[in-house]
Amino acid sequence: MTRIAIFASGNGSNAENLICNLTYGRVVLLLCNKPGAYVLQRAQRLHVPTVLFSREELEDPDHEHSVLKLLKTHKIDFIILAGFLWKIPADLIRTWPQKIVNIHPALLPKYGGQGMYGDRVHKTVIENGEEKSGITIHIVDRQYDHGHIIYQESIQIYSSDTPETLALRIHILEHLRFPKAVDDYLKQLFKDPAV
Ligand code: GAR
């Protein structure tokens, strides 16, 4: 069974949806960088162990409580970023090549990068008069919101849309598609490790 860790920083609706609906693997650990984030309560309610970590623990592999050591101890096979806002360091990407994915609430490569998250994305998309937005699920590489895209889907933006209504519609689309997109990728990845 594929052992999955989720990284999340805030509300955690995608994390909860993945915990409940992934079929190919099992979420065995939830990692969070923000004390008090609601995602911690969601995971605890679903009996998924949670760990809070600092930037040093993420970025320094030699730290006594490094995230790298923790993931190895829990024998993690695959990592999902579900609303996680820090950059993933190189040693994690090297240790889990092609095995870290992220979801972004826009049509990458547009509207990604440092500082582009949550409502800021939707506000900028609407201010720029875009006709479409959507969701992107991609493999994580050394750059923010970059890397091979494994799933993308667009939705129409209506003239009546506000950043709030767009955020809501994008969230619904994420909830509908994220678990299946990850399951499909996992099946492909663990059938053919060269993917
Ligand atoms: C999601 O919309 C996700 O796409 C976005 O954060 C939100 C988290 O919502 N991620 C990014 O913006 C990453 N650049 P959630 O906490 O309710 O799952």
Side-chain angles (χ1 to χ4, degrees), residues 10-14 82-83 85 102-105 116-118 145 171 174:
N11 176 36
S13 69
N14 278 289
L85 304 181
N102 176 46
I103 191 163
H104 187 76
M116 269 295 177
Y117 59 85
D145 300 325
H171 248 122
E174 290 183 330

Side-chain angles (χ1 to χ4, degrees), residues 15-23 27 46:
E16 177 166 354
N17 185 44
L18 289 164
I19 292 167
C20 294
N21 292 308
L22 281 174
T23 59
V27 178
L46 294 165

Side-chain angles (χ1 to χ4, degrees), residues 52-124:
L52 256 183
F53 62 90
S54 65
R55 200 178 273 277
E56 296 69 41
E57 287 163 351
L58 177 67
E59 292 179 353
D60 177 4
D62 298 322
H63 192 290
E64 189 188 351
H65 301 295
S66 79
V67 168
L68 181 71
K69 288 178 192 162
L70 180 78
L71 294 169
K72 285 183 174 171
T73 304
H74 284 264
K75 299 190 185 335
I76 297 302
D77 302 305
F78 192 78
I79 297 166
I80 305 173
L81 313 185
F84 182 64
L85 304 181
W86 288 353
K87 199 168 175 183
I88 293 296
D91 53 284
L92 261 70
I93 294 171
R94 263 197 310 273
T95 310
W96 285 275
Q98 317 291 313
K99 291 177 182 157
I100 309 177
V101 296
N102 176 46
I103 191 163
H104 187 76
L107 296 174
L108 293 176
K110 289 175 98 176
Y111 303 106
Q114 190 161 14
M116 269 295 177
Y117 59 85
D119 291 347
R120 287 195 210 172
V121 177
H122 308 304
K123 191 165 174 286
T124 314

Side-chain angles (χ1 to χ4, degrees), residues 121-154:
V121 177
H122 308 304
K123 191 165 174 286
T124 314
V125 165
I126 287 181
E127 277 170 5
N128 287 356
E130 295 284 356
E131 290 180 354
K132 285 180 188 290
S133 189
I135 64 170
T136 305
I137 301 166
H138 66 93
I139 296 167
V140 171
D141 66 12
R142 299 284 310 273
Q143 295 174 48
Y144 271 109
D145 300 325
H146 191 261
H148 178 72
I149 292 173
I150 59 171
Y151 187 84
Q152 193 165 56
E153 185 170 338
S154 63

